[in-house]
Amino acid sequence: MAEHEACYVFTPDDSIGQAPRPSKRRKTARATKPNTQLEVLPFVPLLRGVETPGCTKARADSFEAAWRPKEALIDKSIHDANLDTVREVASFIRGNSAPESSRKIRTGLLVAGPDNGASIDLFDSIVESVNEDERAILINLSSGQCPNLKTVLKYMSQHATSRPLGADEDTANDGGKYARQLNYDLQILYDHVQNHAISKVIVSFQDSEAFEGKLLAELIDVFSSWNDRIPFVVLFSVATSVGLFQGKLSRATIRHLEGAEFKVERVSIEEIFKTISSKESTLWLGAGLSNLILQRQKDHIQSPYALSQTLKYAYMTHFFANPLSITLNDDPTHVPLQEVHYEAVRNLPSFRSHVQRLIEERDYDTVRDLLDDDENLSELMMNKLKSTRKALEELVLAVEALYRTQSSPTCKKSIAWSEMYVQAMSGELFQSTLFEEILNSVKKLPSDIMHDLLHDLAGIFHHEGLEKVIIDLDKLTSSLDDPEVPLRSQYDVHHETLRTTVIAQKVSLGKNTSTLSAQDAAYTKIVDRTFSELQKKFRWALINPQNLFLNEALIYDSKSPHREVFTPRPRFAIERALSSPHDYLGCECCGGAESGLSDTQPATAILYQLCLESGSVINTADLWSAFWTIVGTEGSKDEEVERERVLALFSRALAELKYMGMIKNSMKKADHLVKLSWRGL
């Protein structure tokens, strides 16, 4: 080993000293797929076998066809919500400062609320709008990039001079021209502005509250001194309020700013969730996963972009991990299903429920055909998929109709659309008290509000019974003497009066119903018909989706992948891998958790388990002795070579544990180690 080398890695030869280590046997074999764009792992609980590359590509195409329209709608909603803010800020940036305030910096305060994650895209949109009339460059700053003033100025110069200005211009880095200048000198930025005729240098602060007040004061002071040569415009993304942010700055610093406040319109989470769960969807999210996503959204106040990525991951998990998603491909030229797909369908809970109903009906021939003949099963799948999709579409329409009904003035309870959707997908909405209260509130509506509600619901359901009710209501209201005075049913509070009765010196209150007019009585009959029609429609539409055939292909409701990805527990995974390596290796040589330590386990896992049995301070010699007892081979032909091999494994495992922060060298004793972490904490 040369003097300039810090260390070397010793790779022992397994052929020296002992027989080679037993090979690890994987639980799941993966076939080789040449020339495939995506490699999709088989869905083990459902599919025993490997798909062809054609099926894999068909599922990838199904994902693109299902997700891309949703993604476009979400992006359009976010863009439309920020459109007015982008125009206002761009107009403010284009404006010129007054002559007496030439040293003042034009400053925009964008109040985005707690959702501060989309500020970068908002700043990019603002610069694009400004570049329609002028030439501007954007420099994004975050608190993690700005520990001190020199670092900020250096980053600004490097970022501005290396950023392309247009497709028709020279985009090479100008850093070679400024080699003799200090890298934090704003003269570099000034020369770049002059050479490229830049009219605005926009400096944006993504997380303004995270910056130190002293650093902001220094930056603003430097910008002010260069403002007559470099046209600075500063944008602050404020998550709290302008007053709290202003409290961080001194009066001297504020005098350098010429600011304006802009409120950023945020996209409603309900709107995004409606887009995902609309009638035109190919895939619907189940109640458990939807509730998990919404709860996480409330707890962490994520941006719309983060929610969009969460929903995209749900689509990807379904189409790339569930082979039965190939049935959602509407392309008539797609590859046919394989035998393993039919076997997977026969193991679904919905298929078993369907077969159980056939057995109860004593239709044994059909059951045998479905179990033995793939063609009969394929025909059943095609027919049932259409009916299942239609049922899910009607369920979503019923949720929308019920949500609009609860907005009536007579309804005292109201919940969000997403919460109503979760109840509907769990099959609990029709039997809930909320449903009863919303439907009973329809009886108390006056004729004018009832007319608008019926037209709204008829547009959603296209229900023939509701259309007949609308015709009868129009005939009744057209014969009114005073169209401005609406009709009221007997359920309306206007027809109820309080009655006071005194019995044995005790006062009791009761309700009396006043006598109805002929027109109000006729309107009451129409209200009863409306209530009956709506109840029938909702009873038919608000079913339990879990009872539908092949709902596993149309509904994704697995929560564990989202929990592992979006709320990961890396420490738990590392501790489990080191303490129970056989769970991941899938081999028989390592044995179970009760088998204890074995020389076939990885060296790092052996050393970690030995550290668990030790105290807070570990003697390195004792640790090596225990490791040699487990891994080493006493009485071998070449014991010196064997000891060197085991020592190399020991050194590498010890270095890996130090790298993971589990142990470190003791400062008091050179030959001891200090344990830094304990399992389960």
Side-chain angles (χ1 to χ4, degrees), residues 465-497:
L466 291 179
E467 293 177 357
K468 293 180 179 179
V469 173
I470 293 175
I471 295 175
D472 295 340
L473 180 60
D474 290 340
K475 291 180 180 179
L476 180 60
T477 54
S478 61
S479 62
L480 294 177
D481 298 333
D482 188 0
E484 299 295 332
V485 179
L487 297 174
R488 299 184 183 275
S489 67
Q490 66 178 6
Y491 310 104
D492 197 289
V493 293
H494 289 75
H495 290 294
E496 293 180 354
T497 57

Side-chain angles (χ1 to χ4, degrees), residues 112-275:
D115 177 17
N116 207 14
S119 57
I120 297 179
D121 298 286
L122 181 61
F123 292 144
D124 290 337
S125 301
I126 292 172
V127 174
E128 291 178 3
S129 180
V130 173
N131 282 332
E132 294 178 358
D133 301 326
E134 303 179 21
R135 176 174 295 178
I137 57 175
L138 174 66
I139 303 174
N140 287 314
L141 299 179
S142 63
S143 58
Q145 301 171 337
C146 307
N148 52 62
L149 181 61
K150 286 186 178 180
T151 305
V152 178
L153 298 179
K154 174 184 175 182
Y155 174 80
M156 289 176 57
S157 299
Q158 292 179 346
H159 183 77
T161 56
S162 62
R163 187 166 185 173
L165 297 175
D168 56 342
E169 300 183 9
D170 185 11
T171 60
N173 194 335
D174 296 334
K177 301 179 182 179
Y178 317 120
R180 297 181 180 179
Q181 297 172 345
L182 297 175
N183 53 13
Y184 56 85
D185 191 353
L186 284 185
Q187 183 68 33
I188 300 175
L189 181 59
Y190 171 72
D191 294 339
H192 183 76
V193 169
Q194 294 296 317
N195 294 336
H196 295 86
I198 297 173
S199 60
K200 293 289 186 298
V201 177
I202 304 174
V203 183
S204 64
F205 295 82
Q206 303 170 21
D207 46 353
S208 304
E209 286 85 355
F211 282 83
E212 295 183 2
K214 181 180 178 181
L215 178 59
L216 288 178
E218 293 175 349
L219 277 173
I220 293 173
D221 187 55
V222 173
F223 292 167
S224 177
S225 62
W226 282 85
N227 199 35
D228 55 342
R229 289 159 287 174
I230 302 177
F232 282 113
V233 177
V234 179
L235 298 179
F236 291 105
S237 179
V238 181
T240 53
S241 66
V242 175
L244 291 176
F245 175 71
Q246 185 176 344
K248 296 182 60 174
L249 306 176
S250 63
R251 293 184 179 180
T253 302
I254 295 176
R255 292 193 189 100
H256 294 307
L257 304 178
E258 182 185 358
E261 179 182 352
F262 305 93
K263 290 187 177 181
V264 180
E265 296 293 335
R266 291 181 293 169
V267 181
S268 172
I269 302 302
E270 298 294 320
E271 183 177 351
I272 296 179
F273 212 81
K274 273 188 178 182
T275 302

